[in-house]
Amino acid sequence: MSVKADLTLDCSGMACPMPILKTKKAVESLQLGQVLEMIATDPGSTSDIDAWTQKTGHELVDSRQEGNKYIFYIKKTK
Amino acid sequence: MTESNNRLAIIAVHGTLDLAYPPLILATAALALDMEAAIFFTFYGLEIIKKGNADKLLVAPIANPAMPMPVPNIIGMLPGMTAMATGMMNNWMKKANVAKLSELLDMALEGGVRMIACQMSMDVMGIKKEDLMDGLEVGGAATFLNYASQNAIALSF
């Protein structure tokens, strides 16, 4: 599945808690239904983005790993 | 989704570099999770919020057998060992791209974390409001408990 992103946020090299803080700000800047592509290198981000979407209610529509990069697609739902 | 708490109440008691991180990481992460958070800084925890002090906090090599390069206590007592341990830890943090404490403090304040300085500790330690960062509250145990009693997750570091 390929998801079209409206905005890309590169959190490569950042450590906890920066990726989720930046992700929150980026998602806030989107319109309802738009998708954020977030790229991280922190292996903990897989679990953290999952938890973040569960807690905030935004939707993780897709994710994949490419080498040392973790790529997430998050749809703003509210 | 099960009903969950949306409030985090943290007590920061220690003024060392390693123990200053968890309260600030959790409080800023709480903001990202649409939760609200408060940190009650008491006793040596006040060192974290003294103006311009956060990035000068130290790590104690004494009685710290968990350090990756454990230092026998008798060596840790020697002059310069605390500075050395602190330098090592700051170096590891930088390599791992961990934000500086001052940056986390700014994010916490900007994001609306309630930062409460303990009045009693300030009196005991001779710390004045103007010695502390701007944007803080000063309060006592009741301030913290009133906040925490409203369905908060409460943690102490």
Side-chain angles (χ1 to χ4, degrees):
Chain A
M1 180 173 78
S2 101
V3 184
K4 189 189 151 296
D6 299 284
L7 180 68
T8 295
L9 171 70
D10 192 352
C11 294
S12 297
M14 291 180 196
C16 172
M18 297 310 296
I20 55 164
L21 287 164
K22 300 255 179 202
T23 297
K24 178 194 163 68
K25 283 201 171 157
V27 168
E28 270 173 2
S29 76
L30 296 178
Q31 306 287 324
L32 213 61
Q34 285 189 319
V35 173
L36 172 76
E37 177 187 50
M38 197 279 268
I39 303 162
T41 50
D42 170 19
S45 58
T46 310
S47 162
D48 267 11
I49 287 298
D50 199 37
W52 182 83
T53 50
Q54 267 188 46
K55 186 72 179 165
T56 58
H58 296 295
E59 189 189 346
L60 180 60
V61 287
D62 195 16
S63 65
R64 65 173 193 277
Q65 188 180 349
E66 278 177 17
N68 65 343
K69 292 200 184 289
Y70 302 84
I71 303 162
F72 304 93
Y73 294 90
I74 300 157
K75 186 194 271 185
K76 180 174 175 139
T77 58
K78 60 175 191 176
Chain B
M1 195 164 73
T2 51
E3 199 173 318
S4 60
N5 297 6
N6 277 309
R7 174 172 276 203
L8 179 62
I10 300 174
I11 302 182
V13 190
H14 294 283
T16 57
L17 174 59
D18 46 343
L19 284 168
Y21 266 102
L24 289 168
I25 289 179
L26 287 171
T28 49
L31 297 175
L33 269 67
D34 293 336
M35 297 170 68
E36 53 173 82
I39 310 176
F40 187 67
F41 296 89
T42 184
F43 288 91
Y44 301 113
L46 289 172
E47 295 296 316
I48 303 167
I49 50 170
K50 273 190 187 165
K51 267 190 191 125
N53 201 42
D55 293 335
K56 297 178 190 157
L57 297 179
L58 305 171
V59 182
I62 295 186
N64 193 354
M67 284 200 79
M69 258 183 263
V71 179
N73 284 340
I74 194 142
I75 306 274
M77 288 165 67
L78 296 174
M81 287 308 289
T82 298
M84 193 182 142
T86 302
M88 277 166 61
M89 181 150 176
N90 275 325
N91 202 23
W92 298 326
M93 298 301 238
K94 206 174 164 188
K95 266 191 199 150
N97 264 314
V98 177
K100 287 199 287 190
L101 285 169
S102 57
E103 293 167 345
L104 291 171
L105 277 170
D106 288 344
M107 281 187 277
L109 277 169
E110 189 191 320
V113 173
R114 278 184 71 183
M115 311 277 265
I116 308 162
C118 170
Q119 178 71 66
M120 182 274 276
S121 303
M122 288 169 65
D123 295 344
V124 169
M125 298 165 77
I127 296 168
K128 297 186 186 64
K129 178 108 201 273
E130 55 266 29
D131 298 331
L132 301 176
M133 298 171 59
D134 298 328
L136 307 176
E137 296 172 50
V138 175
T143 309
F144 176 80
L145 288 173
N146 180 45
Y147 182 88
S149 67
Q150 291 161 52
N151 204 23
I153 301 160
L155 302 170
S156 178
F157 291 95

